[in-house]
Amino acid sequence: MCLESMYNEMASVDLENPFAVQPTCHRQCNNWQCLHDGGDCTLAQALDVCRPLQKRRANLLKTIPPNSTTARAPVEFSVSAMKPFRPTLDTAANEWKLELEMTISLRWADSRLISVPCRRKLSDMLSFAPGTAAAVREAQESDRSIIWMPTPKINDSAITYRADPSNVAPGSIKNEVSAATFTFTPGATTPWIGGGPAGSTHCVDCAQQTLSFTWAIGVEPLLKFDFFPFDHQQFTIRFDLGEQVDAFSCEHLLSDTSSLFATLKAEGNLDSLLPTTNEYFWNTGAPEPLSAHHPKGDGGAVDKGKCDITFKVKRDTSIIFLKVIIPTIIVVYLGLLGVLLRAENWAGDRAALLGVSLLINMVNLERDNGLGKLMYSVWFDTFNLSQIIIIVIAVIEGLVEYRLHITGRELECLILQSVWSWLLLAGFYPLMTAAIILGGANQPEWALACWILMGICFFIALCVGYYRIRFGRVRRKQALKRLYDADTEDPEDFMHHFTAAFEAFDEVGAGALHIDVARELFKAAMNRDFDGDGQVKGFELFSNLMDEARKVATATGGKLSIEACEDLLAKLGVTKPGGSIRGGGTDTVATTTVGPSSRHNLKTVVV
């Protein structure tokens, strides 16, 4: 037949132009043995002849290759190329998708392909380039059914040659194969990846299919955001090659030097597989951050027809810390600085500062984190709620202080404010925030240590507050008793005890007392029974002293300093300036003290 074809070709030579040969496809030579009439037959002419013949043998060619020694056909599965995977949220369906753009390669041995009718045209039948029309893809999808070959799926989504019919914008993700190649090479070819089937080292009579595709798959297992933004995620791409396949190379993808993953690992370039947004980086704390394994079925048996490629990653929290967490802490601290303001003068300003911080944190609580609609709280919600709680506690404590102030319990108010402000700013709030952050960052030991320290600080504050209130009250009573018993005719003794009483009442060391507190000192000093006859004879002097004190306090914000008290005593003639009124010194200048004698109401004594 082939000789007849050559004779016909010679007969068809144009006599005027002996070099212009008009090739003719002769049906008798249109077969793989004659190279389809020496290449004179077009692809369509070749397929018109060989395709029907091969379809008749499809039942024999669809069984697993006879090269297989087991019930499953050994298939070398590998990833030839892969761009960074992209987790995206489908807001309409409120579902997370994993967008992939990669190329996979499948190789298997099948000696039957040496003599199939379309052996010379298998590559053309099963290969296509980007941009191939949908009708051609459909025809080639049909051609895939005339020989045995793996039928890969990605997360239960079948990979076919058919075009994606969905009307999507150019460049967006489509679930379709963009390019495919098929080759068959008789004889020995390149080595297998990993340990070859049945101890073989090279693929003999090897068929190879390479598929380049873009695919959007559902994320399994579902993403969990309980500890967002400290969440650790696992993205698994499951390739299912069918029940008749043994994907023997799966567990060698990270160790064989010819594998893409092994090459990237050796180059230290595994980060090129991660999303380009830099949102995630490898979870190096987890075993096998990147792995390839056969999954186990329901009965616990390994399913060799499937290969799971798993990426274990954790979120990069630096941006969220910089843009959200740190500004939130700063805002809360600015609001909490209001606890340093005294309730008597700044109650409204304190409430305003805390109110602004509260509103900002309420906005943060409603912030869209780009996670979709969740029916459970995440770590970030807990963090924001803790900030709100601490502000509310500060507001309640401020109300308690204000209540103590308006009921005349100024000393208790000052003690509570001084103890609580430093407990809140230097202990309670930073330790609580650190504990919550460390707990979210999977540092439970450090988080527990912060909670314990917070409890210790709270206990110490209670003890200090109780001591200052309980024993301070005793100290003040003793100071008033000594002032009451002080000898008013001795200026040094009188002013020594007056100053000691002043300091006993000045709990916070401010150097000034509220007029109501100073009243207790003036009452003990002046409004008493001087001569022990049962009559308070210094009442008029006490009244005059309080009248003058109120005038001075009005101009100084309701407070009296020790110097102002000295001036008032001197102004009313209780003492005259010039002597040593602090006690413990040597008087060189005469000081006059007005006080009663045992026989007169008021008496001037010169010392």
Side-chain angles (χ1 to χ4, degrees):
M1 292 183 183
C2 294
L3 292 175
E4 181 183 357
S5 175
M6 294 174 61
Y7 172 79
N8 291 335
E9 286 181 8
M10 293 176 63
S12 63
V13 174
D14 188 346
L15 298 178
E16 295 183 359
N17 184 7
F19 297 101
V21 178
Q22 302 295 325
T24 301
C25 177
H26 297 88
R27 187 174 183 83
Q28 296 84 349
C29 287
N30 188 5
N31 51 55
W32 72 269
Q33 293 91 340
C34 289
L35 304 179
H36 297 282
D37 202 5
D40 290 345
C41 298
T42 64
L43 176 63
Q45 291 171 330
L47 294 182
D48 283 342
V49 173
C50 75
R51 182 183 281 138
L53 295 175
Q54 187 151 329
K55 285 186 176 181
R56 293 174 193 170
R57 300 175 57 183
N59 291 337
L60 297 176
L61 296 175
K62 285 293 291 182
T63 59
I64 64 173
N67 309 58
S68 307
T69 58
T70 62
R72 289 175 177 263
V75 175
E76 178 195 85
F77 164 77
S78 66
V79 178
S80 305
M82 181 176 179
K83 291 188 176 181
F85 64 86
R86 300 180 292 276
T88 59
L89 176 63
D90 183 350
T91 55
N94 195 38
E95 293 179 352
W96 281 92
K97 299 287 186 180
L98 193 64
E99 296 182 352
L100 305 172
E101 188 171 352
M102 59 196 308
T103 301
I104 63 172
S105 174
L106 307 171
R107 286 202 305 162
W108 66 96
D110 192 347
S111 58
R112 297 172 301 184
L113 300 182
I114 295 177
S115 58
V116 295
C118 291
R119 170 189 165 181
R120 302 290 186 187
K121 299 301 179 182
L122 285 176
S123 177
D124 295 322
M125 293 173 66
L126 301 175
S127 302
F128 62 86
T132 302
V136 176
R137 289 166 170 262
E138 192 69 29
Q140 291 184 318
E141 177 63 27
S142 177
D143 288 337
R144 295 177 70 196
S145 64
I146 62 178
I147 64 170
W148 185 93
M149 60 193 312
T151 55
K153 296 180 180 178
I154 305 178
N155 289 24
D156 294 327
S157 178
I159 300 178
T160 70
Y161 283 9
R162 294 185 176 93
D164 189 341
S166 61
N167 183 19
V168 294
S172 63
I173 288 292
K174 292 183 177 182
N175 282 14
E176 66 180 27
V177 175
S178 58
T181 60
F182 182 89
T183 58
F184 173 72
T185 308
T189 58
T190 55
W192 295 110
I193 289 180
S200 62
T201 58
H202 290 72
C203 181
V204 179
D205 298 333
C206 198
Q208 180 170 349
Q209 183 184 39
T210 302
L211 302 173
S212 300
F213 54 83
T214 55
W215 225 264
I217 61 176
V219 177
E220 295 180 3
L222 297 178
L223 300 182
K224 294 294 183 181
F225 298 103
D226 303 70
F227 291 95
F228 174 84
F230 299 99
D231 52 313
H232 297 178
Q233 303 295 353
Q234 176 175 308
F235 299 97
T236 299
I237 308 173
R238 172 164 294 180
F239 292 92
D240 185 355
L241 304 185
E243 296 179 355
Q244 296 180 323
V245 172
D246 174 11
F248 66 89
S249 64
C250 177
E251 298 187 350
H252 299 278
L253 295 181
L254 270 74
S255 57
D256 195 282
T257 54
S258 60
S259 169
L260 170 68
F261 297 136
T263 301
L264 293 177
K265 186 177 180 180
E267 295 174 352
N269 197 27
L270 284 177
D271 288 348
S272 63
L273 303 175
L274 299 179
T276 55
T277 58
N278 294 329
E279 181 181 5
Y280 293 104
F281 56 92
W282 294 107
N283 184 7
T284 54
E288 296 185 302
L290 174 62
S291 62
H293 293 291
H294 295 298
K296 291 184 178 181
D298 296 335
V302 173
D303 190 343
K304 293 186 177 182
K306 299 176 181 178
C307 183
D308 285 358
I309 300 177
T310 301
F311 304 84
K312 296 178 181 178
V313 297
K314 56 184 178 180
R315 193 181 302 274
D316 184 1
T317 60
S318 59
I319 297 300
I320 295 179
F321 256 92
L322 184 64
K323 297 178 65 175
V324 182
I325 295 179
I326 292 178
T328 298
I329 293 174
I330 292 174
V331 167
V332 173
Y333 250 122
L334 289 176
L336 293 180
L337 287 176
V339 300
L340 298 175
L341 301 176
R342 299 285 176 82
E344 58 184 300
N345 295 324
W346 309 100
D349 299 291
R350 174 194 278 195
L353 282 173
L354 293 172
V356 171
S357 296
L358 182 63
L359 289 175
I360 293 175
N361 279 275
M362 290 295 291
V363 172
N364 282 344
L365 195 61
E366 297 297 325
R367 180 177 179 269
D368 182 9
N369 297 311
L371 305 179
K373 296 179 182 178
L374 301 179
M375 301 307 294
Y376 56 90
S377 62
V378 300
W379 176 91
F380 202 71
D381 297 326
T382 302
F383 171 77
N384 285 321
L385 190 60
S386 69
Q387 308 301 296
I388 292 173
I389 290 174
I390 203 71
I391 293 173
V392 171
I393 292 175
V395 171
I396 294 174
E397 189 275 336
L399 294 176
V400 173
E401 283 187 36
Y402 185 72
R403 180 64 181 173
L404 291 174
H405 168 68
I406 64 175
T407 56
R409 301 169 65 181
E410 182 69 20
L411 289 174
E412 285 84 351
C413 174
L414 293 175
I415 293 173
L416 177 63
Q417 192 261 346
S418 63
V419 173
W420 169 257
S421 61
W422 291 111
L423 168 68
L424 188 64
L425 294 174
F428 200 83
Y429 176 63
L431 287 172
M432 182 197 70
T433 302
I436 292 175
I437 292 176
L438 291 170
N442 197 27
Q443 301 290 332
E445 298 84 2
W446 290 103
L448 179 61
C450 288
W451 288 117
I452 293 174
L453 286 175
M454 191 177 73
I456 293 173
C457 290
F458 189 70
F459 177 75
I460 292 174
L462 285 178
C463 293
V464 171
Y466 176 80
Y467 174 83
R468 292 182 62 178
I469 292 176
R470 178 71 179 86
F471 294 96
R473 188 178 300 165
V474 173
R475 187 174 69 254
R476 289 190 294 274
K477 284 185 178 180
Q478 293 174 348
L480 288 177
K481 179 67 169 57
R482 288 191 291 268
L483 178 60
Y484 185 85
D485 295 334
D487 186 359
T488 54
E489 296 184 0
D490 184 350
E492 183 176 342
D493 182 66
F494 174 78
M495 290 309 301
H496 171 75
H497 290 295
F498 185 88
T499 303
F502 186 97
E503 293 173 350
F505 276 81
D506 185 13
E507 279 284 348
V508 295
L513 296 178
H514 192 270
I515 181 63
D516 294 335
V517 179
R519 181 178 182 277
E520 299 294 324
L521 271 67
F522 296 148
K523 183 177 179 181
M526 299 292 110
N527 193 22
R528 55 187 171 128
D529 182 7
F530 289 104
D531 54 8
D533 62 355
Q535 298 182 8
V536 179
K537 298 173 182 172
F539 178 74
E540 182 177 353
L541 185 60
F542 167 71
S543 298
N544 294 337
L545 186 57
M546 286 302 302
D547 289 340
E548 294 296 326
R550 289 190 180 93
K551 295 177 183 178
V552 175
T554 300
T556 57
K559 292 184 176 293
L560 292 174
S561 64
I562 184 64
E563 292 80 6
C565 293
E566 294 172 359
D567 293 341
L568 286 172
L569 293 174
K571 180 178 180 180
L572 295 178
V574 178
T575 62
K576 290 184 179 180
S580 176
I581 61 174
R582 297 282 179 183
T586 303
D587 295 334
T588 57
V589 182
T591 302
T592 302
T593 301
V594 179
S597 68
S598 61
R599 297 184 299 273
H600 302 286
N601 235 359
L602 295 174
K603 177 181 179 182
T604 301
V605 180
V606 179
V607 180

